[in-house]
């Protein structure tokens, strides 16, 4: 768990900034950032190191955002 806490601390601001550029809404970006790290925590065992950790987190953030959009349409 402490390894993931270090990742959370190191990358939270960058993932949040990535999502802010997309959604342009602080509250939504905060929620999506939290969901991104939750999904990353659940899937961390799948991270194989073939890409930068930030790239992996941004891919999760993008998918979280797309899921959010889909939910908003319905």
């Amino acid at each position: 768990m402490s390894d993931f806490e270090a990742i959370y601390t190191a990358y939270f601001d960058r993932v949040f900034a990535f999502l802010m550029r997309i959604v342009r809404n602080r509250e939504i970006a905060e929620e999506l950032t939290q969901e991104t790290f939750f999904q990353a925590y659940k899937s961390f065992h799948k991270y194989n190191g073939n890409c930068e950790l930030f790239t992996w987190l941004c891919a999760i953030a993008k998918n979280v955002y797309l899921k959010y959009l889909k939910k908003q349409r319905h």
Side-chain angles (χ1 to χ4, degrees), residues 55-68:
T55 302
W56 184 70
L57 290 169
C58 284
I60 293 172
K62 178 191 71 161
N63 289 330
V64 165
Y65 173 65
L66 293 174
K67 187 175 180 181
Y68 165 80

Side-chain angles (χ1 to χ4, degrees), residues 24-72:
R24 300 177 190 269
N25 180 303
R26 186 172 193 80
E27 289 178 16
I28 295 170
E30 286 174 357
E31 288 179 33
L32 296 178
T33 302
Q34 291 296 331
E35 182 63 21
T36 296
F37 280 98
F38 176 68
Q39 294 300 323
Y41 180 76
K42 288 185 356 182
S43 303
F44 193 63
H45 65 281
K46 296 178 185 178
Y47 176 67
N48 58 19
N50 285 342
C51 64
E52 292 287 329
L53 189 55
F54 179 65
T55 302
W56 184 70
L57 290 169
C58 284
I60 293 172
K62 178 191 71 161
N63 289 330
V64 165
Y65 173 65
L66 293 174
K67 187 175 180 181
Y68 165 80
L69 284 180
K70 189 181 288 186
K71 189 176 180 182
Q72 292 302 308

